[in-house]
Amino acid sequence: MRLSGNILYHFVAFIVVAIWGSTFVFTKMLLLDGLSPAQIFTLRFLIAYVLLLPLSLRKTSLFCSHSPVKDELLMVLLGLTGGSAYFLAENAALLYTTATNTSLIVCSCPLFTMLLVALIYRKTERFTKIQVMGSVLACLGMAVVVLNGHFVLHLSPLGDMLAFAACLCWAVYSLLLKTLTQRYDTLFVTRKVFFYGLLTIIPYYLIVPEELSTLHFSSSILLNVLYLGVVASLFCYLVWNWVIKKLGAVVATNWVYFNPIVTILFAWWLLNEQITPWLLLGTLMILMGMYLCDRKK
C-alpha cells in the first residue's frame, strides 16, 4: 500500500504515537506523586475498560463467536502482551538499566514485528529488499535520535532482557491483532485487551499486596490518570487497533520509531531541553526508512 493512498491511516498512526510519546511525561509525574508502575497501569486500563464496556456491549457480544475457546485464549494473550506484561517489563527495565538502553530496545519492536510476520506468514507476506532496508534505516534513525550523539551504552543484562521482553510483547501483540481484527470488530478486540490486561495483572498484586493499600489520590493524580486512561488508553488503543487492521502490522508498527522523537519534542516544549542536529538527522532517516518500507517494488 502506497503512503499517498493511505495518508489518513498514516496520519492517525502518527497522532497515536505522538500521544504515546507524551505519556512518559505524565507517567513520570505520577511516579513522583508516589504511584507505582503497576498502579498507574491498572488505573489507566480500568478507566478505559469501564468507559468502553457500555458502548461495546451494545454492538458486540460478550465472548468470541468464531472459535470460542481458541480465540478467547488469543484475546488473553492480547491483554498480556499489549497490557500487563508489556508495561511491567518496560517499567521494570528502567529500574535495572538506563532509559537510553530501554528506549533503544523497546522502540526496535518494528524490526521484530517484521521478522515474526515473515516467519509466520512467509507464504502470504513477502518483503522486498527495499522494504527490509527501509525498516533497518528507520531503526538506525531511531537509534541516532535516542543516543543523541553520545554513543555509549551501559550494558545491564537483567534490565536489557526486561526491555527486550517488552519489545517482544509489543511485536506479538501487533501480530495477534493482524489475525483477530480480521474476525472481530475493533471495539470488541479493544475491550478484550483492557479486560484481560486487568485480569492478568492480578497475580502481581497477589505477590505485592501492599500496593493495593498504598493507592492514593489528589487533584493532580486524578487529572494525569484521566489523561492516560481516556486519551492514551481508550482512544489510542481503539484507533491503533483500527490502524493495524487497515495498514497491517509491519507498516503501522513502524510509526513506533517516532516515539522518542515526540518525547524529545515534549521535553523541548515543557522542559526547555535543546533540539540537536542529531534529532533532525534521525528524523530524516526515519522518514526515509518508512517511505522505503511502505514500497512494494
Side-chain angles (χ1 to χ4, degrees):
M1 290 182 288
R2 293 287 186 174
L3 180 62
S4 58
N6 298 282
I7 189 67
L8 174 62
Y9 306 137
H10 284 279
F11 176 74
V12 171
F14 169 75
I15 294 298
V16 171
V17 170
I19 293 173
W20 279 341
S22 72
T23 60
F24 287 99
V25 176
F26 294 95
T27 300
K28 181 66 175 179
M29 293 170 66
L30 289 172
L31 290 172
L32 292 174
D33 282 332
L35 267 63
S36 72
Q39 290 172 335
I40 296 170
F41 162 76
T42 303
L43 288 173
R44 63 184 286 182
F45 263 47
L46 183 61
I47 290 172
Y49 180 71
V50 169
L51 292 177
L52 184 62
L53 184 61
L55 176 63
S56 176
L57 289 180
R58 292 177 186 175
K59 299 183 177 181
T60 60
S61 60
L62 190 61
F63 300 104
C64 296
S65 56
H66 291 276
S67 301
V69 176
K70 178 183 176 181
D71 285 358
E72 204 68 36
L73 289 175
L74 290 177
M75 293 294 182
V76 174
L77 282 177
L78 272 186
L80 191 66
T81 56
S84 57
Y86 170 78
F87 281 100
L88 286 178
E90 182 183 60
N91 291 328
L94 292 170
L95 298 176
Y96 299 101
T97 188
T98 64
T100 298
N101 284 30
T102 303
S103 296
L104 277 174
I105 297 172
V106 172
C107 290
S108 64
C109 73
L111 275 180
F112 290 96
T113 303
M114 174 177 275
L115 179 61
L116 286 175
V117 169
L119 288 175
I120 297 176
Y121 298 98
R122 55 182 178 273
K123 292 184 178 180
T124 57
E125 293 281 351
R126 295 183 180 276
F127 300 107
T128 65
K129 292 182 179 179
I130 292 180
Q131 288 177 306
V132 174
M133 288 173 56
S135 188
V136 172
L137 179 62
C139 188
L140 290 175
M142 178 273 300
V144 169
V145 170
V146 172
L147 292 173
N148 196 28
H150 304 287
F151 300 100
V152 179
L153 293 177
H154 303 279
L155 298 180
S156 174
L158 178 58
D160 294 341
M161 286 178 62
L162 287 168
F164 177 75
C167 168
L168 191 59
C169 278
W170 195 256
V172 173
Y173 174 77
S174 301
L175 189 63
L176 289 174
L177 276 179
K178 174 182 173 65
T179 300
L180 291 172
T181 52
Q182 293 175 353
R183 297 202 290 265
Y184 297 98
D185 183 81
T186 302
L187 276 174
F188 178 81
V189 174
T190 307
R191 173 170 58 83
K192 287 291 186 179
V193 171
F194 293 145
F195 175 76
Y196 285 119
L198 291 169
L199 193 66
T200 52
I201 197 68
I202 292 177
Y204 174 84
Y205 288 112
L206 295 178
I207 299 173
V208 193
E210 58 269 20
E211 289 205 6
L212 289 175
S213 60
T214 58
L215 184 63
H216 62 282
F217 290 97
S218 66
S219 57
S220 61
I221 288 177
L222 183 59
L223 289 175
N224 288 336
V225 166
L226 284 175
Y227 174 78
L228 292 177
V230 178
V231 180
S233 295
L234 177 58
F235 170 75
C236 285
Y237 270 80
L238 267 174
V239 174
W240 184 257
N241 294 348
W242 173 71
V243 168
I244 287 280
K245 184 176 183 178
K246 297 296 184 180
L247 291 179
V250 174
V251 175
T253 307
N254 275 333
W255 280 100
V256 172
Y257 289 134
F258 271 90
N259 205 308
I261 295 175
V262 175
T263 302
I264 290 173
L265 291 176
F266 266 87
W268 166 75
W269 178 34
L270 298 175
L271 304 176
N272 295 319
E273 294 186 4
Q274 295 296 316
I275 293 180
T276 67
W278 294 105
L279 174 65
L280 302 178
L281 174 61
T283 302
L284 182 62
M285 293 172 66
I286 292 173
L287 288 172
M288 181 59 69
M290 289 187 62
Y291 170 75
L292 293 176
C293 190
D294 203 38
R295 294 182 62 183
K296 288 296 184 183
K297 296 182 181 180

